[in-house]
Amino acid sequence: MDISFIINHLGEDRDKHDGSVNPPIYQTSNFAVKSVDEFRNRIQHEFESPFYTRGHNPTVAVLRKKIAALEGTEDALIFSSGSGAIAAAVMNVVKEGDHVVCVEKPYGWTNFLLNTLLVQYGVTTTMVDGRDAENYRKAIQPNTKLFFMESPNTMTFELQDIAAVCKIAKENNIVTILDNSYCSPLFQQPAAYGVDMICHSATKYISGHSDVVGGIVCGSTERMKSIFKSEFMCLGANISPHDAAMLLKGLRTMPIRVEQSARTAAKVAFYLEYHNKVKKLHWPFSNAFPQKELAKRQMKSGGGLMSIELDVEDYNQVDTFCNSLRYFLMATSWGGFESLIFPIAAFSKDKASHTHHLPWNLVRLYIGLEEPELLIRDLDQALEKI
Ligand SMILES: *Cc1c(COP(=O)(O)O)cnc(C)c1O
């Protein structure tokens, strides 16, 4: 299906709403019916029709249709955060006594879910270096039910060969989940490689305006129904109709924004790669990236996130670099209009107290929608200060 058709027209049902070009925001918790028969019908079909907004809401349903089409899956569920979406997808697959194989260095709360929270419920996880798909096979135990991927991750961008990991999973009857937030559905379509469930932090590229927190799980109708009648309805991490409308608004311009962010990122990466104060650049489409071939095979482009290891001796110099930037805002998250920096040095005070698994001199950059020349000039003057 054509991407521009999906984003601009699919699922809108405009005739039902006086031709309203945007779907109305159904700001209601409840939907009343006229007969017991209708009540009976609605209560039995909450997955596909409006009855109570924790389950189904017509505004949210438009987003569901579009996102599923963009990812090439049968359906999707929209959550109030990416973490809520990931937790629901994982919990739908595993139960007490089960085992998960997960890629190293996933998003922080994914790591917490697998290695702390679910441990309390008798689920165990083996973390593997996902750069070699065979590591997934080697970690399989008789009780392994799930392979979790995040390709690439959002700090140092190691990739998994998605097709290869899925093949091993299928041979062993193991479900696969992939966090596709970095790429958005535009730069990578994991369902085409056989991934069962695809998760997103919609907070990032899908919203694109740093004004909504949201999450998504995509997959088969069967799997979405299974999540719906359990984790989705019970944990209640549903998105509000208003926030769903905000995500729809973000989605309208997603191709333009994401491509602009990626184009500028390529220019910034090229500048940083050859700068003498930069010890190492991490960006999947850079010349020196070890998995560049795989990146070009399974991704359409590098995204707006990258990291640099500064060529510095102490913490003060990291601080000086970051504090000197004028146009990059210092914050977490990413995917909006504004360029950002995120220093790993913020996790500790000095080298001696540094226990984070990432290098203390690593600074993550998110490239937003400012002009590339402006950002490069800003980086240039800040790098000059160290
Ligand atoms: C931000 C992020 C999440 C969590 O999403 P929230 O919307 O913040 O809950 C999960 N995975 C990745 C890769 C992210 O960047």
Side-chain angles (χ1 to χ4, degrees):
M1 215 184 299
D2 179 73
I3 288 173
S4 68
F5 172 79
I6 295 170
I7 289 178
N8 295 300
H9 304 298
L10 180 75
E12 306 267 348
D13 226 346
R14 294 186 174 114
D15 291 347
K16 237 172 78 185
H17 308 294
D18 299 322
S20 171
V21 299
N22 278 301
I25 303 175
Y26 281 79
Q27 193 65 46
T28 182
S29 57
N30 229 352
F31 297 85
V33 293
K34 290 229 170 64
S35 67
V36 179
D37 223 28
E38 210 185 329
F39 205 114
R40 216 169 266 135
N41 193 38
R42 293 263 187 126
I43 208 167
Q44 278 166 17
H45 298 95
E46 275 197 271
F47 179 71
E48 54 271 286
S49 56
F51 180 67
Y52 185 57
T53 284
R54 173 152 42 77
H56 187 107
N57 177 283
T59 311
V60 180
V62 179
L63 193 58
R64 234 171 106 177
K65 273 210 182 99
K66 287 185 195 287
I67 298 285
L70 287 173
E71 281 291 3
T73 57
E74 286 173 356
D75 209 336
L77 289 170
I78 316 293
F79 292 76
S80 57
S81 75
S83 279
I86 292 165
V90 168
M91 288 171 71
N92 187 255
V93 179
V94 295
K95 58 178 186 343
E96 186 184 4
D98 287 345
H99 174 252
V100 180
V101 183
C102 179
V103 68
E104 276 170 5
K105 296 195 263 176
Y107 181 71
W109 291 105
T110 301
N111 190 47
F112 182 89
L113 173 77
L114 292 170
N115 290 303
T116 303
L117 193 86
L118 290 182
V119 174
Q120 298 167 22
Y121 300 92
V123 175
T124 54
T125 296
T126 304
M127 307 299 281
V128 295
D129 181 343
R131 288 173 294 185
D132 182 356
E134 285 305 311
N135 289 338
Y136 273 90
R137 191 197 302 278
K138 286 180 199 149
I140 294 175
Q141 299 176 6
N143 55 344
T144 303
K145 294 286 157 54
L146 172 66
F147 281 176
F148 193 96
M149 290 175 268
E150 186 179 308
S151 184
N153 70 50
T154 55
M155 280 294 179
T156 44
F157 314 103
E158 287 87 356
L159 272 65
Q160 295 99 71
D161 182 333
I162 303 172
V165 175
C166 284
K167 186 164 174 285
I168 298 166
K170 296 254 149 41
E171 286 164 11
N172 292 279
N173 220 358
I174 291 166
V175 176
T176 46
I177 300 179
L178 186 142
D179 182 337
N180 199 29
S181 302
Y182 178 86
C183 285
S184 91
L186 298 178
F187 288 167
Q188 179 169 276
Q189 295 195 289
Y193 300 106
V195 174
D196 296 310
M197 279 192 273
I198 298 126
C199 297
H200 282 280
S201 168
T203 315
K204 315 293 168 52
Y205 268 148
I206 292 170
S207 152
H209 293 75
S210 303
D211 52 4
V212 185
V213 175
I216 293 163
V217 179
C218 305
S220 67
T221 307
E222 189 189 358
R223 183 62 76 173
M224 294 304 100
K225 274 191 174 158
S226 165
I227 294 179
F228 182 84
K229 61 179 202 259
S230 177
E231 293 77 20
F232 189 81
M233 287 303 283
C234 179
L235 302 177
N238 62 297
I239 199 155
S240 75
H242 186 263
D243 279 355
M246 304 265 279
L247 288 180
L248 269 172
K249 182 170 176 166
L251 193 65
R252 305 275 190 213
T253 56
M254 184 174 72
I256 303 168
R257 287 184 290 98
V258 170
E259 273 153 30
Q260 173 80 11
S261 162
R263 251 196 317 273
T264 308
K267 289 185 185 168
V268 173
F270 184 76
Y271 161 78
L272 290 169
E273 189 160 23
Y274 300 107
H275 198 290
N276 62 355
K277 304 263 174 70
V278 177
K279 198 184 264 172
K280 196 167 177 190
L281 168 74
H282 301 266
W283 190 60
F285 272 54
S286 67
N287 290 321
F289 191 73
Q291 296 177 288
K292 190 175 67 173
E293 296 311 316
L294 176 61
K296 295 213 157 135
R297 200 161 78 229
Q298 67 187 20
M299 296 161 61
K300 289 201 183 79
S301 167
L305 273 178
M306 65 185 71
S307 297
I308 50 176
E309 288 177 41
L310 294 170
D311 194 5
V312 292
E313 294 304 316
D314 62 48
Y315 262 61
N316 292 339
Q317 292 173 291
V318 178
D319 290 17
T320 302
F321 167 72
C322 294
N323 293 340
S324 302
L325 288 165
R326 293 183 211 131
Y327 294 103
F328 286 81
L329 304 182
M330 216 181 291
T332 186
S333 195
W334 56 275
F337 54 90
E338 76 287 14
S339 291
L340 300 166
I341 50 160
F342 183 112
I344 293 302
F347 286 102
S348 41
K349 226 168 66 270
D350 46 36
K351 268 200 242 179
S353 63
H354 186 78
T355 53
H356 199 276
H357 66 276
L358 292 170
W360 62 272
N361 60 340
L362 191 88
V363 178
R364 186 178 79 177
L365 308 175
Y366 168 68
I367 307 302
L369 301 180
E370 299 91 343
E371 286 297 323
E373 292 72 25
L374 180 86
L375 298 177
I376 289 171
R377 239 187 297 131
D378 198 21
L379 289 165
D380 209 46
Q381 62 84 21
L383 285 167
E384 276 314 303
K385 299 219 166 76
I386 58 175

